[in-house]
Amino acid sequence: MSLPPLVDPAEGLTVDEVRRYSRHLIIPDVAMDGQKRLKNARVLAVGAGGLGSPTLMYLAAAGVGTLGIVEFDTVDESNLQRQIIHGQSDVGRSKAESARDSVRNINPYVNVVLHETRLDTSNVKEIFSQYDLIVDGTDNFATRYLVNDAAVLLGKPYVWGSIYRFDGQASVFWADHGPCYRCLYPEPPPPGMVPSCAEGGVLGVLCASIASIQTTEAIKLLTGIGDPLVGRLMVYDALEMTYRSIKVRKDPECPLCGKNPSITELIDYEAFCGVVSEEAQLAAAGSTITASELKGWLDAGEPIELVDVREPAEWEIVRIPGARLIPKGDLPAHLAELPQDRRVVVYCKSGVRSADALATLKGAGFSSAVHVQGGVTAWATQVDKSLPVY
């Protein structure tokens, strides 16, 4: 369904702006009116990472007048494979500042507003209220539900995207005209069930594919052209090179946007999404060691069985010497192989999956088992700095 434009047109374009946007101006559907609406628009990008990078660059090139950027992280070398708004010289810099400089280089007529903070319940409404449209490029469920709930409570539309390995999804959620994110995903997946891009990886160019959909939808919403992805989920498979459009209906019983909403204020999203399962938290209590403690045990010749519960592709990148690989999903089938006469020590990349693995071990009778806080990342940054971090 077509929707009215989100913003009113600006008073006019300068001669320089007409030159810059001439290829838009000669499209009848956009034309002068649409370009003036883009100039008058205020769009907030949540994140300047894989999805935020191309989204910000193309929104800037399109002539969106004000671009807000919510980002608190710094540029890491591992970002450069996909976060194309940053370059080698930006490593160690604020992502928000790096993104701002790239946007200004693309289009000096764009006003860039930085929000160098972690988005949370204390600031999200105040930040969102300054913008016409939100573009969500986050990769964790707690922030996704936070963005959704704040947008619904404020009556704001937002463009959502998600990427993982070779697969991507995109949609537009606007409770005034269709479903919200909770209508599609009423509950977050169990902790550890869906790996993040940092754990499972992502094809760099996939970010551009999904971000281009997000940017296209943003332009359509701002100018009031075309049929936006309200009530539809676009699913992209890069390996098969297929797109599927799935209808998403508004849930009349949705606790947020349904007929009788039970969620009328923002909630504790970390608790709602359970970053670590309750079983894992219980197992890790009193059974967690540091990378330095592990090194001490290894140097002293302590009788331990060191188990890496990551995936084979991660094992090929970096590992702790003396470990054996048993991916977390395969651990239950290999419990009988583990020794009972020495302590089992498990680790992963950061400590989340190993906490789950520890719960499995404790439940199987390995009462002395422990896991390594910070995983192989902590080992590479604190013990053996010659090892790569991914």
Side-chain angles (χ1 to χ4, degrees), residues 251-273:
D251 181 4
E253 304 304 319
C254 175
L256 183 69
C257 73
K259 296 177 181 176
N260 299 294
S262 58
I263 300 174
T264 57
E265 291 293 338
L266 301 175
I267 63 173
D268 185 337
Y269 294 93
E270 294 291 341
F272 175 65
C273 294

Side-chain angles (χ1 to χ4, degrees), residues 12-276:
L13 302 180
T14 66
V15 173
D16 289 339
E17 287 172 330
V18 170
R19 293 194 191 100
R20 177 177 289 266
Y21 308 127
S22 62
R23 297 304 185 273
H24 275 178
L25 298 177
I26 59 177
I27 302 174
D29 304 79
V30 180
M32 183 64 74
D33 181 76
Q35 194 62 50
K36 289 193 291 185
R37 292 182 193 276
L38 292 176
K39 180 178 180 177
N40 211 28
R42 301 177 61 87
V43 178
L44 178 70
V46 183
L51 290 175
S53 290
T55 296
L56 283 165
M57 295 169 78
Y58 266 110
L59 287 174
V64 171
T66 299
L67 285 177
I69 305 172
V70 180
E71 181 60 78
F72 64 92
D73 204 359
T74 56
V75 180
D76 182 82
E77 198 163 15
S78 66
N79 302 149
L80 303 182
Q81 162 257 8
R82 64 202 178 281
Q83 299 181 17
I84 58 172
I85 204 167
H86 315 295
Q88 184 65 41
S89 62
D90 296 312
V91 172
R93 291 186 66 202
S94 154
K95 278 189 181 179
E97 293 181 2
S98 169
R100 175 201 60 201
D101 292 349
S102 294
V103 165
R104 287 176 173 173
N105 190 50
I106 291 169
N107 190 344
Y109 302 113
V110 175
N111 176 38
V112 183
V113 181
L114 300 187
H115 304 276
E116 293 191 78
T117 183
R118 183 187 294 271
L119 200 66
D120 59 29
T121 55
S122 70
N123 58 28
V124 63
K125 283 187 175 181
E126 188 274 330
I127 293 174
F128 279 18
S129 64
Q130 304 172 43
Y131 297 91
D132 304 302
L133 178 66
I134 316 299
V135 181
D136 180 20
T138 58
D139 67 349
N140 69 86
F141 289 99
T143 308
R144 287 175 184 172
Y145 281 97
L146 170 66
V147 169
N148 177 77
D149 292 5
V152 172
L153 293 174
L154 291 171
K156 302 278 185 179
Y158 78 101
V159 185
W160 171 78
S162 174
I163 49 176
Y164 179 68
R165 291 186 175 169
F166 299 98
D167 301 318
Q169 300 179 3
S171 189
V172 172
F173 296 112
W174 194 356
D176 290 348
H177 297 280
C180 76
Y181 182 77
R182 285 181 182 268
C183 296
L184 178 61
Y185 297 115
E187 299 285 340
M193 180 67 71
V194 180
S196 67
C197 291
E199 293 179 335
V202 60
L203 185 70
V205 71
L206 177 70
C207 302
S209 299
I210 299 304
S212 68
I213 295 174
Q214 290 183 279
T215 308
T216 302
E217 293 304 301
I219 291 172
K220 288 159 59 179
L221 289 166
L222 295 170
T223 59
I225 62 175
D227 184 9
L229 281 175
V230 175
R232 291 185 291 148
L233 175 69
M234 184 64 71
V235 180
Y236 173 55
D237 182 333
L239 287 182
E240 298 294 332
M241 193 49 68
T242 58
Y243 287 90
R244 290 186 297 134
S245 181
I246 301 172
K247 181 169 286 189
V248 180
R249 299 187 183 279
K250 189 178 184 71
D251 181 4
E253 304 304 319
C254 175
L256 183 69
C257 73
K259 296 177 181 176
N260 299 294
S262 58
I263 300 174
T264 57
E265 291 293 338
L266 301 175
I267 63 173
D268 185 337
Y269 294 93
E270 294 291 341
F272 175 65
C273 294
V275 177
V276 178

Side-chain angles (χ1 to χ4, degrees), residues 2 30 49 129 142 204 264 280 282 297 304 333 390:
S2 60
V30 180
S129 64
T264 57
L282 291 173
W297 288 4
I304 64 172
Y390 64 100

